[in-house]
């Protein structure tokens, strides 16, 4: 609801300093009903079904081409779900300094989609990657690394200083890694 109301041209035309308080006010007004709805829908939304279907298609296509598809989770309870989707599962918690991920990193490419904003955890992960033969990284990020403006944002636009932009830079500036960053809206 909050996002959709900001598609209204009258609200979009509002100065930035008014939009954020208005957003917080609207969220406060609908918070209880939305939280109950989210709790009711958790795990049963069509978005999750679509995401699983897309994952299945990607995994199937990669397996057809001979790739060994690996996936990680921090939770033992999700191992079976990964395996049932044709993904070789691994338990990986980058906040654990004693992680053993050498078998996981035997790959052509690593897709990193981790919501953590702990720079030390990512430094530890990159250290482990550097010790492996893996060199290609696809880092999933967010458009939140850009400042809030009413203007057009391009790849050349400056990033705002944030933990996520610093983590991106850890990967992008590492001379041992060939990193591509994809920034989606609404993530992390």
């Amino acid at each position: 609801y909050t996002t959709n109301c900001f598609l209204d041209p009258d609200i979009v035309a509002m100065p930035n300093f008014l939009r954020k308080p208005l957003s917080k006010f609207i969220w406060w007004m609908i918070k209880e009903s939305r939280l109950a709805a989210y709790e009711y829908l958790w795990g049963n939304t069509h978005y999750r079904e679509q995401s699983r279907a897309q994952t299945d298609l990607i995994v199937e296509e990669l397996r057809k081409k001979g790739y060994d598809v690996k996936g990680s989770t921090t939770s033992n309870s999700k191992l079976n779900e990964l395996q049932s989707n044709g993904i070789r599962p691994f338990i990986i918690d980058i906040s654990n300094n004693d992680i053993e991920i050498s078998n996981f990193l035997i790959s052509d490419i690593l897709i990193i989609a981790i919501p953590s904003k702990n720079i030390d955890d990512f430094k530890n992960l990159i250290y482990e990657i550097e010790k492996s033969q893996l060199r290609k990284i696809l880092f999933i990020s967010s458009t939140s690394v850009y400042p809030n403006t009413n203007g057009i944002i391009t790849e050349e636009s400056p990033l705002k200083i944030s933990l996520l932009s610093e983590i991106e830079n850890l990967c992008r500036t590492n001379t041992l890694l060939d990193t591509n960053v994809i920034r989606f809206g609404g993530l992390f």
Side-chain angles (χ1 to χ4, degrees):
Y1 290 111
T2 306
T3 302
N4 290 341
C5 84
F6 286 102
L7 297 177
D8 182 307
D10 292 330
I11 294 176
V12 170
M14 294 177 98
N16 279 342
F17 73 93
L18 289 176
R19 271 192 264 156
K20 191 168 188 175
L22 179 60
S23 173
K24 286 182 179 182
F25 175 73
I26 291 170
W27 173 248
W28 179 78
M29 293 295 291
I30 66 170
K31 176 173 75 172
E32 293 306 317
S33 65
R34 291 301 92 210
L35 291 177
Y38 294 153
E39 184 175 328
Y40 173 77
L41 293 172
W42 183 255
N44 296 315
T45 67
H46 69 282
Y47 297 115
R48 187 165 189 174
E49 292 169 13
Q50 288 174 348
S51 179
R52 279 192 179 138
Q54 290 168 346
T55 300
D56 290 345
L57 289 172
I58 292 168
V59 169
E60 180 183 337
E61 192 62 31
L62 289 170
R63 291 177 62 95
K64 278 183 193 175
K65 294 184 179 200
Y67 290 100
D68 178 24
V69 180
K70 302 173 186 177
S72 69
T73 178
T74 58
S75 167
N76 282 320
S77 65
K78 294 183 183 174
L79 290 174
N80 288 336
E81 183 180 338
L82 288 172
Q83 195 159 22
S84 69
N85 285 320
I87 299 168
R88 191 154 49 119
F90 288 81
I91 293 281
I92 296 176
D93 180 356
I94 66 169
S95 66
N96 179 352
N97 288 333
D98 298 324
I99 58 175
E100 171 46 51
I101 60 173
S102 59
N103 287 333
F104 181 73
L105 295 177
I106 299 171
S107 262
D108 295 324
I109 187 167
L110 177 66
I111 301 172
I112 300 175
I114 303 173
S116 170
K117 304 288 186 305
N118 186 311
I119 291 176
D120 290 332
D121 292 349
F122 275 93
K123 285 179 180 177
N124 187 36
L125 175 61
I126 290 169
Y127 173 74
E128 294 297 323
I129 294 168
E130 288 174 339
K131 293 190 308 185
S132 76
Q133 297 298 311
L134 178 67
R135 292 296 171 249
K136 292 186 181 197
I137 306 291
L138 180 60
F139 187 87
I140 307 299
S141 187
S142 167
T143 56
S144 68
V145 297
Y146 295 113
N148 293 329
T149 67
N150 284 331
I152 295 173
I153 301 291
T154 68
E155 286 297 310
E156 289 75 37
S157 298
L159 303 181
K160 69 180 179 184
I161 296 172
S162 69
L163 292 173
L164 184 55
S165 64
E166 289 182 42
I167 291 167
E168 269 189 23
N169 282 328
L170 285 175
C171 293
R172 288 185 316 130
T173 59
N174 186 306
T175 57
L176 296 177
L177 304 177
D178 177 12
T179 301
N180 287 295
V181 176
I182 297 179
R183 296 183 182 114
F184 293 107
L187 296 180
F188 309 133

